[in-house]
Amino acid sequence: MECVVTCTVNNNADLLGVSKIRYPEYKMKQTAHIFYLLLVLLMFTSFTGAKQGDNTLVIVIDAGHGGKDPGSISKKVQEKKVTLDIARKLGKMLTDSFKDVKVVYTRYNDSFVELHERAKIANRNKASIFISIHCNHNHKTTPNGSETYVMGLHKSDDNLDVAKRENEAVLYEDDYEKQQDYEGFDPNSPEAHIIFSFYQNAFRDQSLTLASKVEKHLSARKKVKKSRGVKQAGFLVLWKTTMPSILIETGFISNPTEREYLASDSGKKEVAESIFKAVKDYKAYLSTIK
């Protein structure tokens, strides 16, 4: 389901266990990736040119998981419900605040949207930025804090684990092994992640700028404010987006304090407000580089 809302700025957004993941054999050829990278760069050139004559900022808000994919689950709190509530609150804030912004949701209800389709929704709408909202999870209850990811080569095993967990959503898709959109990508292959890191390279700087602003405002929250920083990893949902894109882990649903916070209406509202402030700052930043 693709939901579009045209916004109106007063001048002035316990882990479901999946055991023994089996991905299709990694068969991607280097020449194919070079060709695709050139195609992405060409699209970036066209994309940038289109934005110069149009002041509308198109923001795609992606509520992680949904439908038959609940995401992480801890003490009956489901990630898919938390992310949807935050996404809708963020969208409303943008709607109420900006007249030169168009908001597009990848889902606006408890529906299942395939990972590759989320990127396609952003690309079809010629999005200016793509924001994917998630909740983190750990087998221990002590880890806490937010972290925002951009597409890139993971710098630690923890980053890779986060990407693998979020990429498990692909297992809910019918015949995902045959999906040409994934090109046989294997998240468990070191070689795949090296090649994977080249994607989104044309938008890396803008993505990092937006991600930094998100973490700045999330770390300024009153109750839950620890920031684990801006990180890089390979996420299928960000793979083929042709615009600056980020994935926000709003907090650990496995941590008792953060779980209670993220399950509450006030907590979700505060998260949405933090992302909204980051988008507002990013919007102001864009006006300085035009």
Side-chain angles (χ1 to χ4, degrees), residues 251-278:
F252 282 79
I253 205 169
S254 51
N255 179 285
T257 300
E258 291 195 345
R259 178 175 59 247
E260 181 180 1
Y261 172 80
L262 291 170
S264 69
D265 186 70
S266 60
K268 286 179 282 195
K269 180 181 178 182
E270 191 175 29
V271 171
E273 287 176 340
S274 298
I275 302 172
F276 168 79
K277 291 176 182 177

Side-chain angles (χ1 to χ4, degrees), residues 28 39 47 85 96 106 133 139 150 157 167 174 182 220 258 266 278 289:
M28 297 186 290
L39 180 61
F47 174 84
D85 284 348
D96 293 343
T106 58
I133 301 172
H139 65 282
V150 302
D157 289 339
N167 289 341
D174 296 332
Y182 301 128
E258 291 195 345
S266 60
I289 61 175

Side-chain angles (χ1 to χ4, degrees), residues 11 38 55 60 92 107 120 127 142 153 156 215 220 264 267 270:
N11 222 19
L38 290 173
N55 292 325
V60 172
K92 186 177 187 306
R107 69 181 182 97
K120 287 181 178 178
T142 52
L153 186 63
S156 71
E215 283 304 305
S264 69
E270 191 175 29

Side-chain angles (χ1 to χ4, degrees), residues 72-89:
S72 297
I73 302 175
S74 182
K75 302 296 183 181
K76 297 183 179 181
V77 176
Q78 297 182 324
E79 180 180 4
K80 68 173 184 177
K81 294 182 179 179
V82 174
T83 61
L84 181 59
D85 284 348
I86 293 173
R88 293 177 67 164
K89 289 179 185 297

